[in-house]
Amino acid sequence: MDTASFIIQQLINALFLGSIFALIALGYTMVYGIIELINFAHGELFTAGAFIGIIVLAALQKTGFVESHFVITLILVFGMAMAYVAVLGVAIEHVAYKPLRRASRLAAILSALGMSIFLSNGMMLSQGVSDRAYPSILGIEGFSILDARITYGQVFIIVLSLLLMVALQMFVNWTKLGKAMRATAQNQTMARMLGIDIDKTIRVTFMIGPALGAAAGVMVGLYYGSVRFDMGFIYMIKAFAAAILGGIGSIPGAVLGGMIIGGVEVLWSAFLPSEWKDVTTFVVLILVLYLRPSGILGEHVSETRV
Amino acid sequence: MKRFGIFMLLLAFMLGFSSMAAAKTLKIGTLSPLTGPYAQDGTDILQGVKTAVAVFEKAGGIPGYDKIEVVPGDSACDGGKATMAANKLINSGVAGVVGAYCSSATIPASVPLNQANIVQITPASTHTDVTGRGFKQIFRMPPRDDVQAWSTVKFLEDGLKIKTLALIDDRQTYTVGLTENITEFAKEKNKIKIVALEHITPGDKDFTAVLTKLKRINPDVIYMGVYQPEGSLMVRQAKALGLKSKLLSEDAVFHPKFLEVGGKAAEGTYLTFAKAPETKERKEFEKTYKNMWKAKTVGSYGYYAYDAGMILLETIKKAGTKTNKMVDTLRNTTWSGVTGEIKFDYKGDRKLAHVIWIVKDGKFVPYWDPLTESYF
């Protein structure tokens, strides 16, 4: 393997890891942008998505549907996982966050932590403590660029996550509901005075964010081949770091942050001692926050919020 | 005075009852990770011990006890949690402990158990320090790390006859013990050159960066010093990246889950694990276990845990619950179990060696025996 293909391969690895982090980070950033709450249960929503995916996929595989209708299978798996988790997201918002909207921010954060523990243990009890093998429908076939290999599964996942990100950006910028979301994020009281249904806007946010997390969960399951009830934790930490790095509240920021975290992790392991990769990731986070406290693309929260 | 008399009477009753109750139930404890990434193996161990208790009670139990109770402790593969769980077991008055799984949990947890002088049999931990610190009441079911490393190096030198080797570990006590021992054994004859030593983070899912690095070096064999969840993911990613190196791993990856998650990518992977004779008792145990837990397979450490539970109960039946007598009995008896003949040496280790297995058609198949240097 020559140096050029080595670098290409590592860039592919980084892009793949980064797009998954970015997709999860979007959920954090959207919720924070709207109600200034770190949704700690987001990692568990991601895991729940992966579990719904495996349940749907296993059911379809029994009937032989997967072989005959591959594309419909993928749509069904992603669609059902995202739909279920979107509903779950709204339910969580209703039960755990809505009653505390006027309470101190600490109470809401504690509620989020509690929700995270509740969901994680719920999945442990219902889905078991051990890894569950994902039916490997994506396979390991692929093609080579020089000597670097990329599988069709990886291409599919990268393309799908980029599409989802673009769709989200278009939704937020170009639709009426997206405009309402931006207005609510800027100033809730003012938005309410102008006749925006705040509750509805928050509900929509709690549908889209978790649904994107669920899509990431299915991707992780499909590509890596196993899911476990506690797998959300490590992704939560990385994605949370990505959201902060890019500037929490900013959608392009979350994508950029995810790509940077994925990139730093992979490229550090590629050229330097791999056991330091997590240290480096968080050193980068600290450095960026030191130089730009609101993140790379973050706005100065204190100025825009009255 | 009359009141005092009634009080004394009640007190006597109470003490009488409590001592009677204590005479009826025998408690044995387990330590294994019931939560966290290695919960599968931890559950296998707990179920193995519970199966032993069920079989033992069906065969007549222990005279003087009505019931045998298993007190589960969650070691979580974490030194601090394991020590806390061990203290809890000590306080609940267990007569002996089977556990723990990760060496990094077993070693710290063995300190309070040693101070309280309670017999401990580990069904899984292979680090040399587990029995290497002069504790008299600790015993171990599987072969040690240095034996495993020796078998591994022997296989690489004389079986596969390779020139270059890359090592991966996850920086935990058990895996570092293995990679260090392999490095030392490889240096002895100097037939194999170790070209890389990489470290991964336990709990991670993506190892492509490290594997790509190894693809570039292209060693003859990559040694995966990891646990099963990471090992299963690693073989898949190695296949997807198109690595040409052969993959070799160890007893923590040797689990039916590895075959399930690894799937086709696991084919051709070599692993080290002790080979037990296919006896009638072993088959019977498998049947009982599968029925009792509605399981399709028995986890690799379920066998060791069953044997550990069995010999612990046999010992108590023979020698009572006095630790010194139990230790004497454990040491001076040759037991026969589902993992072969069990005879402990002065350190508490068994004479048991690893063989090399290969994954073929979705099954672990014995491949090469380092003691006789021959294929099966």
Side-chain angles (χ1 to χ4, degrees):
Chain A
M1 199 179 199
D2 54 295
T3 313
S5 11
F6 178 72
I7 291 171
I8 294 173
Q9 181 76 66
Q10 294 291 17
L11 287 176
I12 294 169
N13 297 342
L15 182 65
F16 181 76
L17 200 60
S19 37
I20 287 182
F21 287 156
L23 214 48
I24 308 171
L26 283 173
Y28 281 110
T29 233
M30 283 176 70
V31 167
Y32 187 87
I34 298 280
I35 54 171
E36 286 182 43
L37 166 79
I38 309 290
N39 184 10
F40 282 108
H42 193 60
E44 274 63 43
L45 291 168
F46 155 84
T47 316
F51 273 120
I52 298 298
I54 196 173
I55 290 165
V56 174
L57 199 54
L60 289 177
Q61 216 178 25
K62 263 186 199 152
T63 59
F65 192 79
V66 180
E67 287 77 28
S68 54
H69 300 82
F70 189 69
V71 179
I72 301 178
T73 303
L74 283 179
I75 293 171
L76 270 177
V77 169
F78 275 97
M80 288 178 72
M82 287 169 81
Y84 178 91
V85 175
V87 174
L88 187 61
V90 175
I92 287 173
E93 195 272 330
H94 196 79
V95 173
Y97 306 146
K98 200 177 173 192
L100 296 171
R101 219 176 274 163
R102 285 176 206 289
S104 81
R105 203 174 296 174
L106 195 62
I109 285 181
L110 284 177
S111 184
L113 276 173
M115 207 45 174
S116 159
I117 296 168
F118 172 78
L119 288 175
S120 172
N121 283 287
M123 283 189 287
M124 184 178 92
L125 291 173
S126 62
Q127 304 297 328
V129 289
S130 65
D131 287 83
R132 284 187 56 185
Y134 235 82
S136 48
I137 58 165
L138 288 184
I140 54 167
E141 292 79 25
F143 56 91
S144 298
I145 306 169
L146 291 177
D147 213 7
R149 267 186 65 83
I150 180 161
T151 67
Y152 297 122
Q154 278 177 312
V155 175
F156 165 72
I157 286 170
I158 293 172
V159 169
L160 181 62
S161 53
L162 291 179
L163 278 179
L164 286 172
M165 289 171 210
V166 172
L168 176 71
Q169 186 68 5
M170 280 160 66
F171 172 80
V172 170
N173 282 342
W174 293 350
T175 63
K176 212 170 174 186
L177 214 51
K179 203 179 238 176
M181 276 167 76
R182 278 183 292 144
T184 313
Q186 270 182 11
N187 189 333
Q188 234 184 70
T189 322
M190 195 62 199
R192 197 190 299 270
M193 278 187 216
L194 294 171
I196 291 171
D197 186 346
I198 303 285
D199 284 342
K200 187 179 154 198
T201 315
I202 292 175
R203 267 204 304 279
V204 171
T205 311
F206 269 94
M207 281 170 83
I208 297 173
L212 292 175
V218 177
M219 288 173 186
V220 164
L222 279 176
Y223 179 70
Y224 294 111
S226 76
V227 286
R228 195 177 52 227
F229 74 95
D230 64 348
M231 74 170 190
F233 182 72
I234 206 149
Y235 281 94
M236 183 196 93
I237 293 181
K238 299 276 167 66
F240 183 47
I244 294 180
L245 183 66
I248 194 149
S250 152
I251 288 172
V255 176
L256 184 69
M259 294 296 175
I260 291 176
I261 298 272
V264 169
E265 246 194 74
V266 169
L267 295 178
W268 179 276
S269 312
F271 297 104
L272 296 153
S274 48
E275 68 264 38
W276 288 90
K277 73 161 207 245
D278 285 348
V279 178
T280 324
T281 310
F282 291 102
V283 166
V284 169
L285 177 67
I286 292 167
L287 279 180
V288 169
L289 289 185
Y290 183 74
L291 297 171
R292 277 188 68 90
S294 51
I296 299 173
L297 298 180
E299 40 188 280
H300 294 284
V301 175
S302 53
E303 285 168 26
T304 50
R305 273 174 234 278
V306 183
Chain B
M1 205 56 212
K2 201 176 157 195
R3 272 191 191 168
F4 183 70
I6 293 171
F7 175 71
M8 286 308 283
L9 203 69
L10 284 173
L11 198 70
F13 257 123
M14 236 168 71
L15 289 174
F17 272 124
S18 66
S19 66
M20 266 163 72
K24 277 179 179 172
T25 313
L26 173 75
K27 284 182 181 169
I28 60 168
T30 65
L31 280 174
S32 60
L34 300 174
T35 55
Y38 313 122
Q40 172 73 52
D41 291 285
T43 314
D44 293 344
I45 289 170
L46 178 59
Q47 291 178 349
V49 175
K50 281 188 170 170
T51 314
V53 167
V55 170
F56 201 83
E57 278 191 322
K58 214 177 161 194
I62 297 173
Y65 296 102
D66 285 344
K67 221 183 124 222
I68 304 167
E69 191 192 328
V70 177
V71 187
D74 181 10
S75 59
C77 198
D78 175 283
K81 281 180 189 155
T83 311
M84 250 156 60
N87 279 320
K88 236 166 122 183
L89 291 181
I90 295 167
N91 291 336
S92 72
V94 294
V97 171
V98 176
Y101 174 70
C102 298
S103 296
S104 46
T106 309
I107 295 169
S110 68
V111 175
L113 287 171
N114 175 260
Q115 280 163 359
N117 204 16
I118 291 175
V119 170
Q120 181 186 7
I121 308 175
T122 169
S125 300
T126 54
H127 195 276
T128 45
D129 280 355
V130 172
T131 52
R133 293 163 299 154
F135 289 179
K136 285 218 159 48
Q137 37 53 264
I138 192 163
F139 298 88
R140 161 171 29 216
M141 301 303 289
R144 295 152 52 113
D145 270 358
D146 45 0
V147 179
Q148 176 150 248
W150 177 83
S151 316
T152 307
V153 174
K154 184 103 183 147
F155 173 60
L156 295 173
E157 283 174 347
D158 302 333
L160 287 179
K161 299 195 173 71
I162 59 145
K163 298 234 159 49
T164 50
L165 171 71
L167 301 168
I168 302 178
D169 69 40
D170 65 4
R171 298 230 126 191
Q172 298 198 63
T173 312
Y174 158 72
T175 59
V176 170
L178 274 173
T179 48
E180 278 177 356
N181 276 315
I182 287 176
T183 313
E184 259 171 49
F185 281 119
K187 264 186 202 152
E188 269 176 23
K189 285 194 185 151
N190 224 0
K191 281 184 188 168
I192 297 169
K193 200 177 158 217
I194 291 170
V195 288
L197 172 61
E198 290 293 332
H199 308 283
I200 57 137
T201 313
D204 257 7
K205 269 189 176 302
D206 199 295
F207 311 112
T208 47
V210 163
L211 289 172
T212 306
K213 221 165 154 182
L214 295 182
K215 187 184 175 187
R216 192 184 189 194
I217 298 169
N218 198 19
D220 295 331
V221 169
I222 297 173
Y223 184 78
M224 308 189 296
V226 293
Y227 284 86
Q228 176 268 322
E230 289 83 18
S232 312
L233 299 174
M234 216 178 257
V235 290
R236 288 177 67 116
Q237 291 165 27
K239 274 277 149 67
L241 284 170
L243 261 73
K244 288 187 191 75
S245 315
K246 288 188 169 131
L247 301 174
L248 170 65
S249 195
E250 21 67 354
D251 53 4
V253 176
F254 191 95
H255 191 283
K257 270 279 166 203
F258 174 67
L259 303 173
E260 196 187 328
V261 178
K264 274 186 209 137
E267 291 289 311
T269 309
Y270 301 107
L271 298 112
T272 43
F273 203 80
K275 188 176 177 302
E278 278 296 327
T279 55
K280 206 182 88 213
E281 286 77 23
R282 191 175 166 94
K283 291 213 173 83
E284 205 140 284
F285 159 68
E286 282 172 354
K287 218 176 110 192
T288 321
Y289 184 100
K290 284 177 193 169
N291 276 338
M292 204 167 153
W293 304 106
K294 299 192 173 42
K296 275 187 213 134
T297 51
V298 185
S300 310
Y301 290 102
Y303 295 96
Y304 285 126
Y306 174 78
D307 271 0
M310 271 307 203
I311 62 171
L312 186 63
L313 293 171
E314 288 280 0
T315 304
I316 294 170
K317 194 177 176 182
K318 269 194 189 170
T321 52
K322 286 258 162 52
T323 303
N324 292 344
K325 280 189 181 166
M326 280 171 76
V327 170
D328 282 344
T329 312
L330 276 166
R331 259 162 219 247
N332 299 324
T333 317
T334 307
W335 313 87
S336 95
V338 297
T339 58
E341 189 191 270
I342 303 160
K343 173 96 181 103
F344 293 111
D345 65 8
Y346 71 100
K347 274 186 170 171
D349 284 325
R350 276 170 80 179
K351 248 211 172 90
L352 198 62
H354 291 82
V355 303
I356 315 297
W357 300 66
I358 189 168
V359 180
K360 211 176 160 192
D361 303 324
K363 276 197 187 107
F364 294 117
V365 182
Y367 186 69
W368 198 75
D369 189 347
L371 290 177
T372 58
E373 296 185 24
S374 60
Y375 294 89
F376 281 100

